[in-house]
Amino acid sequence: MLFDHELSPVQQRNLGRLWNLQVLDRTDLILDIFAQRARSHEGKLQVELARLEHLSARLVRGWSHLERQRGGIGVRGGPGEKQIELDRRMLGVRVKRLRVQLEQLRKQRRTRRRARDRRPAFTISLVGYTNAGKSTLFNRLTGAGTYAADQLFATLDTLTRKLRLSSGVEVVISDTVGFVRDLPHQLVDAFTATLEETAQADLLLHVVDASASDRDEQIEQVDRVLAEIGAADAPRIVVHNKIDRCGRLPGITLDRYGRIDRGDGSAVTGAGMDELRRAIEQRVDDWRQRLAESRDGAADAHDDEILDTGDAPAASSYHGTRHVA
C-alpha cells in the first residue's frame, strides 16, 4: 500500500497491522528509487545515509517489539540493554562512519574546485524537475551518450563534460539530480555536497517539461530547492523542453539587456538547440569580459600600491640587514 504523503511511524505501523500489508509513504518510495538508481560510490553513500536517518525515527516510534530487554552472557549489548538501544547505537555508528566518508569526498571535491579556479572555466549546471529531459539535453549538447530514460530520477550522480562552442571556447557542463515535490529533507541534506556544484555554477540551465500540465508548479518546486542550496540568485536560462510533445514551435525571449533568457526547444529533435548554444555564448562573452575587467582592476590596484609605498621595500631590506649584523 502506497501513500502519496508522509506518514508518521505510528501511522505506518498501525495501518500495516490493520491491512496486513506493507505500507510505504512518499519518502519510502523516493528513497527506494534513489537506492536502485545510484551508481557512483558517493551516490550510494548519500542514499544509504538518507535511508538510515529516515529509519532512525522508525526505530523510536514504529517498532514496539524492539522494547524487549537483552542481556546476560553470550548476547550482544550489556546486561539489561534494550534491543532498540542496541539497534540505535549500531545505526548511529554506521551514520557517523558514512558522514566521515562523505566529508572526505567533499574535501576532494573542494580540492578539485580550487584547481579549476586557478584555471578559470565557465561552468554550467543543468537543473530541473525530475524527468524534464535534462540528461537528453546534456547528451544533445555534449554528445556524451550517457544514460537517459523517460522515468523518474534516471540520473542521480553528477555527470560533467566539456562543451565546445562555435567560437572555439570550451565550457564545463554538469547534469545533476532531478528535483521533485516534497523531496525528503534527508535527501536534500545528503545531496547538499553534490548540489554545491550547482550553487557554484556560472550559469544554470533550468530545464522545464513544456508538455507537463503542472509545469508551473514544477518550476516553483525547483526554485524552492535552489533557494535551499543557496543558488536562488544564480544566473539562469529557462529551457522549455519537449515542445515536440505539445505542438509548440521553437523560439526565444530576451531580457532587458537583450540577452536570451528563455528558449523553447526539443532535446530529442534538436529544435531550438542552435538558439540555446547562442544564448550560452552570450553569457560566456559577458563572463569573459567581467573576468578581464577584474584582472585589469587588480593590476591597477597593484600598481597604485607600489606608487603609494614608494621606496618602502628598500627601507625594509635595510632594517633587516641591520638586525642581522
Side-chain angles (χ1 to χ4, degrees):
M1 180 68 67
L2 179 64
F3 286 82
D4 189 23
H5 56 82
E6 189 169 353
L7 298 175
S8 71
V10 174
Q11 289 174 326
Q12 197 168 4
R13 181 195 64 193
N14 291 341
L15 290 173
R17 287 178 175 176
L18 178 64
W19 294 324
N20 195 27
L21 293 172
Q22 182 182 13
V23 176
L24 300 176
D25 63 4
R26 181 182 179 83
T27 300
D28 290 322
L29 177 62
I30 293 176
L31 288 172
D32 284 345
I33 294 175
F34 270 56
Q36 295 173 18
R37 305 280 164 76
R39 294 292 181 267
S40 70
H41 175 60
E42 183 175 12
K44 292 177 181 179
L45 292 179
Q46 289 168 329
V47 173
E48 183 181 357
L49 176 61
R51 297 188 75 175
L52 291 180
E53 290 180 335
H54 179 65
L55 178 61
S56 63
R58 269 58 189 165
L59 286 179
V60 175
R61 297 184 180 273
W63 302 89
S64 57
H65 69 279
L66 295 176
E67 292 294 336
R68 64 179 182 270
Q69 290 185 337
R70 300 188 64 172
I73 300 175
V75 296
R76 296 175 300 170
E81 185 177 30
K82 294 181 179 179
Q83 179 67 38
I84 189 172
E85 295 170 347
L86 177 62
D87 288 354
R88 188 186 297 122
R89 178 159 50 82
M90 295 175 62
L91 187 147
V93 170
R94 180 58 181 165
V95 166
K96 184 177 180 181
R97 187 174 302 161
L98 287 172
R99 290 189 180 279
V100 170
Q101 290 178 281
L102 287 171
E103 180 59 29
Q104 291 175 344
L105 293 173
R106 184 182 293 114
K107 290 179 179 178
Q108 294 173 5
R109 186 182 297 107
R110 289 171 181 167
T111 300
R112 291 194 297 268
R113 186 183 303 151
R114 285 196 295 268
R116 290 199 305 265
D117 290 343
R118 288 193 290 269
R119 295 174 297 165
F122 190 85
T123 57
I124 303 171
S125 282
L126 295 174
V127 299
Y129 207 79
T130 183
N131 205 30
K134 296 186 303 301
S135 296
T136 305
L137 179 61
F138 181 79
N139 289 335
R140 169 67 67 174
L141 292 174
T142 65
T146 58
Y147 179 72
D150 186 10
Q151 61 185 24
L152 301 178
F153 305 113
T155 300
L156 289 184
D157 306 310
T158 300
L159 304 173
T160 301
R161 297 290 187 274
K162 288 183 178 180
L163 169 62
R164 180 178 290 274
L165 303 175
S166 59
S167 61
V169 176
E170 286 189 341
V171 300
V172 177
I173 184 169
S174 299
D175 186 17
T176 60
V177 61
F179 304 147
V180 71
R181 174 176 58 87
D182 299 329
L183 187 68
H185 291 294
Q186 297 95 334
L187 282 174
V188 175
D189 294 340
F191 279 83
T192 296
T194 302
L195 294 175
E196 283 178 358
E197 298 290 334
T198 299
Q200 298 292 330
D202 296 302
L203 177 66
L204 302 182
L205 295 184
H206 180 175
V207 184
V208 178
D209 183 354
S211 65
S213 58
D214 60 341
R215 60 179 176 271
D216 291 336
E217 181 183 352
Q218 292 183 6
I219 293 173
E220 181 181 347
Q221 294 296 328
V222 172
D223 289 341
R224 182 175 295 118
V225 176
L226 290 175
E228 290 180 7
I229 64 174
D233 299 326
R236 73 185 68 179
I237 297 173
V238 179
V239 182
H240 281 239
N241 190 30
K242 301 185 182 182
I243 62 171
D244 54 302
R245 294 188 177 185
C246 53
R248 287 167 54 178
L249 296 176
I252 59 173
T253 59
L254 306 179
D255 62 14
R256 59 180 178 174
Y257 303 107
R259 299 176 306 186
I260 300 172
D261 66 352
R262 170 181 157 177
D264 299 345
S266 170
V268 172
T269 66
M273 293 299 103
D274 291 338
E275 290 77 6
L276 178 57
R277 286 175 174 269
R278 181 156 58 90
I280 294 173
E281 292 210 43
Q282 288 180 345
R283 301 302 178 100
V284 174
D285 289 341
D286 292 343
W287 174 80
R288 295 179 70 184
Q289 182 177 353
R290 291 194 302 270
L291 189 63
E293 291 174 351
S294 64
R295 286 174 175 172
D296 292 341
D300 292 341
H302 179 66
D303 293 341
D304 292 341
E305 182 180 354
I306 292 176
L307 291 174
D308 290 340
T309 55
D311 59 350
S316 174
S317 175
Y318 169 77
H319 287 297
T321 305
R322 177 179 172 182
H323 177 73
V324 172

